[in-house]
């Protein structure tokens, strides 16, 4: 049994396409091998990037004020929020970066071009001594970091069949966020004791040490990142064939090569923008939680340092709920309904925050909010990562949607500017999640409608899988491809 790659068409040719039927137990065994070889390095890289990004995304917290950043970088007024606008190059760079993944080997593009350069920029941020230099450095960090999230989502979608992807997305998100948040707080707790050591403030130690670690891990990971199923040396020939057939079953074996028309298909598909609107509705509450939670805990009467530690439990519960939701999503083959349920849970948390004047009750409400928003994020990422086909359109669509969602981070920076106006932030988050529910409900209906039309087209014109070669060039407009509606 062997594989043959057609370099001109980009298709994977199976020498014996009618081999034994796919067996779920055998498929799960192969997927476990992927989990051992693919997920750990993905989690580690995302964790380090999360830590690097956390240094800036939480710049408005009392910790950074305590560690001398205000005086050293001359940050006043809205300077913190303006630095957050550097998410814009991060969003703009996502589409070109995902296209490059179809041209350059993922291990080379993500590590040499993006991760290592991003880590170098983070390391050099410890030398910034003004708002201007910090802004320039952060702009470069945002641009080089653009390969991270959309690249990982696309990368995982090329390894795992559609109905087994939510659990893996949930694992890498929760493992990275939970460890990242815990390390973020514990690390700051320790580095605060290094303030003025060697003539450097604590915030400079944070950027310098983390950046150096990420550079080293980036070089090491070059030897552990596998580019594709075909080149994976930990899989046997038969396992590669088995896995490739399982993935092809989801995509109706559509073409995977890079072509300009597939790029434009992603930009012209209105579903891309509906997914983008949904993701913005999730990411605004997600980013605002990261910005606001330390302030809320501080209001309970704890010191700024201790307040950082008390933000870990809500994140921990949010991660557990995300894993449970992702497991149920794969088990029941459901996406849309679980996104709606998670968004409702988040709305309950923000309504309690809006109506209650008790800081203790507000802290409890944050558990509801984090559980709902985190769970919705992981399942929704899985949904849009598998809703488009073939590979080029999916790569571009993922980048567009993820980029639009991260623009919600820019908006979230200005939701909680004034503590006296926190009720505005709560209301905005409630409105965003309500909009997510409405658009998700519409997309469930729309995908089901499109699938019914394709079914009728196949029946009415006698289109069968034997004729799939005639439709390979149509992407997800092929009558043989089925959208993930509920699933």
């Amino acid at each position: 049994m062997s594989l043959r790659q057609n370099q001109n068409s980009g298709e994977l040719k199976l020498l014996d396409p009618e081999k034994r039927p796919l067996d779920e137990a055998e498929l799960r065994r192969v997927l476990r091998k992927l989990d051992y070889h693919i997920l750990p390095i993905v989690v580690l890289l995302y964790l380090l990037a999360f830590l690097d990004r956390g240094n800036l995304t939480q710049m408005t917290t009392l910790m950074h004020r305590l560690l001398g950043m205000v005086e050293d970088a001359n940050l006043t007024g809205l300077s913190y929020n303006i630095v957050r606008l550097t998410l814009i190059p991060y969003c703009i760079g996502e589409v070109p970066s995902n296209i490059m993944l179809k041209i350059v080997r993922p291990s080379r593009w993500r590590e040499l071009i993006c991760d290592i350069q991003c880590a170098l920029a983070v390391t050099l941020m410890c030398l910034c001594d003004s708002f201007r230099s910090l802004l320039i450095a952060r702009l470069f960090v945002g641009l080089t970091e653009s390969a991270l999230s959309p690249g990982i989502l696309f990368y995982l979608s090329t390894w795992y069949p559609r109905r087994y992807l939510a659990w893996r997305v949930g694992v890498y998100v929760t493992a990275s966020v939970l460890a990242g948040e815990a390390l973020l707080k514990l690390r700051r707790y320790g580095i605060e004791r290094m303030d003025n050591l060697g003539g450097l403030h604590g915030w400079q130690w944070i950027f310098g040490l983390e950046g150096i670690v990420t550079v080293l891990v980036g070089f090491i990971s070059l030897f552990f990142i596998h580019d594709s199923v075909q080149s994976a040396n930990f899989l046997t020939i038969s396992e590669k064939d088995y896995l490739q057939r399982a993935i092809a079953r989801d995509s109706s074996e559509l073409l995977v090569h890079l072509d300009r028309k597939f790029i434009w298909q992603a930009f012209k598909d209105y579903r891309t923008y509906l997914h983008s609107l949904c993701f913005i509705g999730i990411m605004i509450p997600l980013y605002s939680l990261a910005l606001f939670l330390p302030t809320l805990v501080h209001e309970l009467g704890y010191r700024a340092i201790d307040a950082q530690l008390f933000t870990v439990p809500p994140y921990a519960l949010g991660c557990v709920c995300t894993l449970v939701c992702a497991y149920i999503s794969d088990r029941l083959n459901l996406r849309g309904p679980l996104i709606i349920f998670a968004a409702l849970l988040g709305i309950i948390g923000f309504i309690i925050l809006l109506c209650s004047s008790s800081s203790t009750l507000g802290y409890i409400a944050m558990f509801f909010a984090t559980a709902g928003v985190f769970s919705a994020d992981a399942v929704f990422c899985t949904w849009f990562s598998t809703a488009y086909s073939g590979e080029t359109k999916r790569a571009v669509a993922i980048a567009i949607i993820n980029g639009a969602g991260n623009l919600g981070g820019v908006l979230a920076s200005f939701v909680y500017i004034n503590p006296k106006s926190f009720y505005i932030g709560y209301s905005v988050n409630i409105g965003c999640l309500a909009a997510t529910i409405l658009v998700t409900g519409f997309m469930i209906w729309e995908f089901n409608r499109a699938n019914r039309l394709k079914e009728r087209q196949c029946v009415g014109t006698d289109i069968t899988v034997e004729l799939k070669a005639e439709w390979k060039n149509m992407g997800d407009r092929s009558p043989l491809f089925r959208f993930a509606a509920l699933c």
Side-chain angles (χ1 to χ4, degrees), residues 43 95 178 200 212 339:
V43 169
V95 171
L178 182 57
L200 297 176
I212 291 173
I339 295 170

Side-chain angles (χ1 to χ4, degrees), residues 63-331:
M63 175 60 72
H64 281 90
R65 296 176 184 271
L66 184 65
L67 298 184
M69 179 171 279
V70 170
E71 294 80 9
D72 293 347
N74 298 316
L75 299 177
T76 58
L78 291 177
S79 298
Y80 295 109
N81 305 84
I82 293 175
V83 171
R84 289 272 298 168
L85 289 177
T86 54
L87 275 171
I88 292 177
Y90 174 84
C91 300
I92 293 175
E94 292 190 18
V95 171
S97 176
N98 263 22
I99 292 175
M100 288 301 297
L101 286 174
K102 295 292 297 176
I103 302 174
V104 183
R105 292 171 57 187
S107 59
R108 299 300 181 260
W109 173 252
R110 289 198 65 254
E111 299 313 310
L112 288 178
I113 306 300
C114 301
D115 290 354
I116 293 176
Q117 290 192 25
C118 178
L120 287 173
V122 171
T123 304
L124 294 175
M125 287 180 69
C126 69
L127 304 178
C128 295
D129 58 359
S130 67
F131 170 66
R132 177 182 298 179
S133 60
L134 187 63
L135 181 62
I136 293 173
R138 182 53 182 161
L139 285 170
F140 188 76
V141 170
L143 187 61
T144 54
E145 199 181 36
S146 61
L148 177 68
S149 185
I152 288 179
L153 288 174
F154 175 65
Y155 180 71
L156 291 178
S157 73
T158 63
W159 285 89
Y160 290 94
R162 184 160 64 186
R163 70 164 299 174
Y164 295 99
L165 186 59
W167 170 251
R168 277 74 188 184
V169 171
V171 166
Y172 101 78
V173 169
T174 55
S176 303
V177 171
L178 182 57
E181 280 300 311
L183 289 175
L184 206 62
K185 314 310 179 191
L186 294 172
R187 175 213 57 195
R188 287 177 183 167
Y189 193 86
I191 291 182
E192 186 239 352
R193 273 71 182 172
M194 298 175 63
D195 197 28
N196 292 321
L197 181 65
L200 297 176
H201 282 301
W203 70 272
Q204 293 172 304
W205 280 110
I206 288 175
F207 287 128
L209 292 178
E210 283 190 1
I212 291 173
V213 170
T214 307
V215 169
L216 295 177
V217 173
F219 278 112
I220 295 173
S221 66
L222 287 171
F223 302 98
F224 295 94
I225 291 287
H226 300 276
D227 294 313
S228 65
V229 173
Q230 296 94 320
S231 64
N233 56 17
F234 62 90
L235 293 175
T236 65
I237 294 296
S238 61
E239 288 171 340
K240 293 177 183 180
D241 173 83
Y242 206 74
L243 183 59
Q244 191 66 38
R245 284 196 294 141
I247 296 172
R249 181 176 57 181
D250 290 335
S251 63
S252 300
E253 299 186 27
L254 298 170
L255 293 178
V256 299
H257 71 282
L258 179 64
D259 193 298
R260 185 180 301 174
K261 64 183 175 185
F262 298 141
I263 297 175
W264 287 115
Q265 281 181 7
F267 279 100
K268 294 177 181 179
D269 193 337
Y270 71 94
R271 299 180 184 93
T272 303
Y273 302 102
L274 288 177
H275 268 135
S276 298
L277 182 61
C278 254
F279 203 37
I280 291 175
I282 294 173
M283 294 304 285
I284 289 179
L286 187 65
Y287 272 104
S288 65
L289 281 174
L291 292 169
F292 174 65
L293 193 54
T295 301
L296 178 62
V297 177
H298 180 67
E299 289 181 356
L300 295 176
Y302 297 100
R303 295 186 308 133
I305 298 291
D306 296 328
Q308 296 292 323
L309 298 178
F310 276 87
T311 60
V312 175
Y315 275 100
L317 179 64
C319 290
V320 171
C321 291
T322 299
L323 288 175
V324 172
C325 198
Y327 176 80
I328 295 174
S329 178
D330 277 349
R331 190 74 174 177

Side-chain angles (χ1 to χ4, degrees), residues 357-467:
S357 58
S358 168
S359 295
T360 302
L361 186 58
Y363 182 65
I364 295 174
M366 295 304 291
F367 285 86
F368 286 92
T370 53
V373 175
F374 273 48
S375 300
D377 177 39
V379 179
F380 189 80
C381 284
T382 305
W383 195 24
F384 73 71
S385 297
T386 57
Y388 304 91
S389 200
E391 276 194 10
T392 300
K393 179 178 180 179
R394 185 167 73 248
V396 176
I398 288 173
I400 294 173
I401 296 166
N402 197 79
N406 278 285
L407 285 177
V410 177
L411 301 177
S413 303
F414 298 92
V415 169
Y416 292 117
I417 294 178
N418 188 343
K420 296 181 180 179
S421 303
F422 280 168
Y423 71 91
I424 297 178
Y426 302 143
S427 301
V428 169
N429 290 334
I430 292 171
C432 288
L433 292 174
T436 295
I437 291 173
L438 293 175
V439 178
T440 298
F442 172 78
M443 295 199 70
I444 292 174
W445 173 84
E446 168 59 18
F447 281 159
N448 279 315
R449 182 190 68 84
N451 287 341
R452 288 194 298 268
L453 290 176
K454 291 185 176 190
E455 291 283 358
R456 286 199 290 267
Q457 182 182 358
C458 289
V459 173
T461 55
D462 293 325
I463 298 175
T464 61
V465 291
E466 287 75 16
L467 301 174

Side-chain angles (χ1 to χ4, degrees), residues 27-95:
L27 181 57
R28 288 194 176 103
R29 185 190 68 79
V30 177
L31 293 178
R32 281 195 295 272
K33 291 188 72 173
L34 296 186
D35 293 341
Y36 295 141
H37 291 85
I38 300 298
L39 279 185
I41 189 65
V42 167
V43 169
L44 179 60
L45 292 173
Y46 190 77
L47 165 63
L48 293 174
F50 187 92
L51 290 172
D52 292 340
R53 186 190 305 178
N55 292 327
L56 268 295
T57 57
Q58 295 192 3
M59 191 177 291
T60 55
T61 65
L62 294 173
M63 175 60 72
H64 281 90
R65 296 176 184 271
L66 184 65
L67 298 184
M69 179 171 279
V70 170
E71 294 80 9
D72 293 347
N74 298 316
L75 299 177
T76 58
L78 291 177
S79 298
Y80 295 109
N81 305 84
I82 293 175
V83 171
R84 289 272 298 168
L85 289 177
T86 54
L87 275 171
I88 292 177
Y90 174 84
C91 300
I92 293 175
E94 292 190 18
V95 171

